[in-house]
Amino acid sequence: MNATAQTRQHVVVIGGGIVGICCALYLQRDGHQVTLVDPAAPGDSTAKWSCGQLSVGEIIPLSKPGIIRKVPGWLLDQTGPLALRPRALPGLLPWFLRFLGNARQERITEIAGAMATLTREVFNDYARLLERCEDPNLVVQRPILQVFDSAAGIDHEREHNALRRTLGFDAQPLDAAQIADLEPAIAGRFAHGLLLPQWRFVSDTQHFIASLNQSFVSLGGRRLRAQAKRIDEAQGMATGVTLDSGERVAATQVVMAAGAGARQFFAQLGTRVPLQPVAGYQVLLTDPGVEFRHSVIYADGGFCFTPMRRGLQIGGTIEFAGQGGEPDFARARIILDKARRVVPGLRTDKVEFGVGYRPLLPDTKPVIDRSPRLGNVFMAIGHGQLGLTLGATTGRLIADLVANRTPATSLEPFRASRFG
């Protein structure tokens, strides 16, 4: 529904990653004039360095029961799929206490139910945006595979897969022959797996985001390659955004979708949500020498393979490095070494390493809400590892809030106030 002349706004969206561009596009669909502000080139964002999966069934929070027993291993083993830098622990301790508080089974069930209300709409919400893009093949219409070293890996996740199934997300068992038939690149390597029939992946994370940006600009949107310095305000309302150059962009509404960069605006937003940037490392092989048909999660290895137009992307390992921690690309090399053991024929002479900082909250749910301090500022932050999955759905919900429509999905579980 387009805005009328009386309700049309000039909205500034801070943050041009996948969540920001989807917010901008949905606001644009409503008839608003939209300016997007981001210092990076289109497509060069956190989601570029992701596995590229639309993980609609990834609704179980990271804080699973028994997680506290794993923390010493994260500190001692820096080669595992999840690592914690020892020197960062003191600063991370308050966050981890909140994180561990969500490891009770009743909280797991509650969080999964809330997340499912978002992920059920992912493909419908993206379809509305992708129909305006020139490239019709941005989402690859193939399911995702998850493979395990032994049956114990599947047994370990049985309870969580049962919960996913009750919420509408299936997982079908695969044996060695079925895995080999679906994915010849790993034939003979795995005898235990799951087919995730409702999941999909994108053709190329960078191209996907850049194409959405191109659609936004072609439809009249304005994209400024600049850093937002502050939100301008008067009498409890935002009046615009000042850039690092000193230029001021006037606005009747502002959307905060800056990922981990949103932290610098928390005082103005009137919130102190415990958002922690978590480093996610990726390897890109532009000439891998093998062909993958699907995105494949190697569950016991803690990483995945995703075939993209620009090459084979391998990644998924994450690291709690603390505020200001420099990336440690030795972790990317660890991924590459593990990938070689799984697929010995991999060519690794043309390689690129990357890192994206996922804005993670202790309950792994995002914040989709109105600022408690500035009534015309809206927050779309804290999507963690599901930014790509939830980008379009978040955009639709933010557009509802800006238009004062009651969203079809309850936003109560995603309020900032849940953190006090």
Side-chain angles (χ1 to χ4, degrees), residues 1 22 31 42 71-72 122 125 141 150 156 183 203 217 252 267 322 329 334 348 358-359 374 412:
M1 181 184 298
C22 288
V71 174
V122 164
D125 291 332
Q141 297 302 320
S150 69
H156 184 71
E183 199 54 73
S203 57
V217 172
T252 52
F329 287 108
I334 290 167
T348 59
R358 290 86 168 98
L374 299 172
E412 191 60 33

Side-chain angles (χ1 to χ4, degrees), residues 30 44 57 69 88 98 126 155 181 276-277 290 324 326 370 414:
D30 265 2
D44 190 13
R69 293 193 297 272
R98 287 180 178 266
Y126 266 121
D155 289 339
D181 183 57
Q276 185 63 228
V290 297
E326 292 296 320
R370 186 190 297 264
F414 312 105

Side-chain angles (χ1 to χ4, degrees), residues 9 36 49 55 100 158 172 202 232 235 242 301 305 309 333:
Q9 310 284 349
L36 186 67
W49 296 111
S55 311
L100 296 172
R158 193 172 302 280
Q172 302 168 5
V202 303
D232 301 323
Q235 299 178 333
T242 295
F305 301 88
R309 294 178 182 179
R333 294 184 183 92

Side-chain angles (χ1 to χ4, degrees), residues 205-222:
T205 46
Q206 183 177 25
H207 178 63
F208 186 79
I209 303 165
S211 295
L212 291 171
N213 273 270
Q214 183 180 17
S215 174
F216 167 71
V217 172
S218 69
L219 293 168
R222 182 187 181 206

Side-chain angles (χ1 to χ4, degrees), residues 28 78 100 105 117 246 339 342 346 382:
Q28 193 178 57
Q78 295 297 303
L100 296 172
Q105 189 56 51
T117 66
V342 175
L346 275 180

Side-chain angles (χ1 to χ4, degrees), residues 86-338:
R87 65 177 178 274
L89 183 59
L92 288 168
L93 193 57
W95 189 95
F96 265 107
L97 291 176
R98 287 180 178 266
F99 178 74
L100 296 172
N102 289 294
R104 305 185 311 275
Q105 189 56 51
E106 61 268 26
R107 285 291 293 144
I108 300 294
T109 302
E110 178 186 334
I111 292 168
M115 292 298 289
T117 66
L118 299 182
T119 64
R120 288 191 192 108
E121 301 300 323
V122 164
F123 297 116
N124 289 335
D125 291 332
Y126 266 121
R128 298 184 183 100
L129 303 183
L130 297 177
E131 65 186 8
R132 299 187 179 191
C133 289
E134 293 183 0
D135 188 342
N137 301 310
L138 292 171
V139 176
V140 181
Q141 297 302 320
R142 296 183 205 134
I144 288 172
L145 278 62
Q146 189 174 24
V147 294
F148 301 82
D149 289 326
S150 69
I154 297 178
D155 289 339
H156 184 71
E157 286 295 306
R158 193 172 302 280
E159 185 176 346
H160 294 134
N161 283 330
L163 176 57
R164 290 184 179 100
R165 196 169 291 112
T166 65
L167 294 168
F169 306 104
D170 198 13
Q172 302 168 5
L174 297 172
D175 59 23
Q178 292 168 319
I179 293 170
D181 183 57
L182 286 165
E183 199 54 73
I186 53 173
R189 175 63 177 81
F190 297 100
H192 306 276
L194 296 171
L195 181 72
L196 307 175
Q198 293 144 308
W199 297 33
R200 295 292 183 268
F201 62 100
V202 303
S203 57
D204 189 308
T205 46
Q206 183 177 25
H207 178 63
F208 186 79
I209 303 165
S211 295
L212 291 171
N213 273 270
Q214 183 180 17
S215 174
F216 167 71
V217 172
S218 69
L219 293 168
R222 182 187 181 206
R223 192 185 195 281
L224 298 179
R225 190 167 178 181
Q227 180 73 51
K229 183 178 180 180
R230 67 173 180 272
I231 299 171
D232 301 323
E233 57 178 281
Q235 299 178 333
M237 302 290 281
T239 60
V241 174
T242 295
L243 310 180
D244 54 358
S245 65
E247 178 185 355
R248 182 177 177 276
V249 183
T252 52
Q253 311 277 356
V254 174
V255 174
M256 175 54 62
R263 291 173 58 93
Q264 72 179 81
F265 298 94
F266 280 177
Q268 284 198 284
L269 295 173
T271 186
R272 290 291 182 185
V273 298
L275 187 150
Q276 185 63 228
V278 180
Y281 294 92
Q282 297 276 323
V283 176
L284 175 66
L285 301 178
T286 56
D287 183 18
V290 297
E291 181 183 359
F292 275 77
R293 300 173 180 175
H294 305 78
S295 182
V296 179
I297 303 168
Y298 175 27
D300 295 314
F303 63 92
C304 71
F305 301 88
T306 301
M308 298 190 186
R309 294 178 182 179
R310 68 181 192 271
L312 180 65
Q313 196 143 306
I314 310 169
T317 179
I318 61 175
E319 179 188 39
F320 289 88
Q323 293 298 321
E326 292 296 320
D328 179 6
F329 287 108
R331 292 193 55 77
R333 294 184 183 92
I334 290 167
I335 299 171
L336 187 56
D337 289 341
K338 290 182 177 181

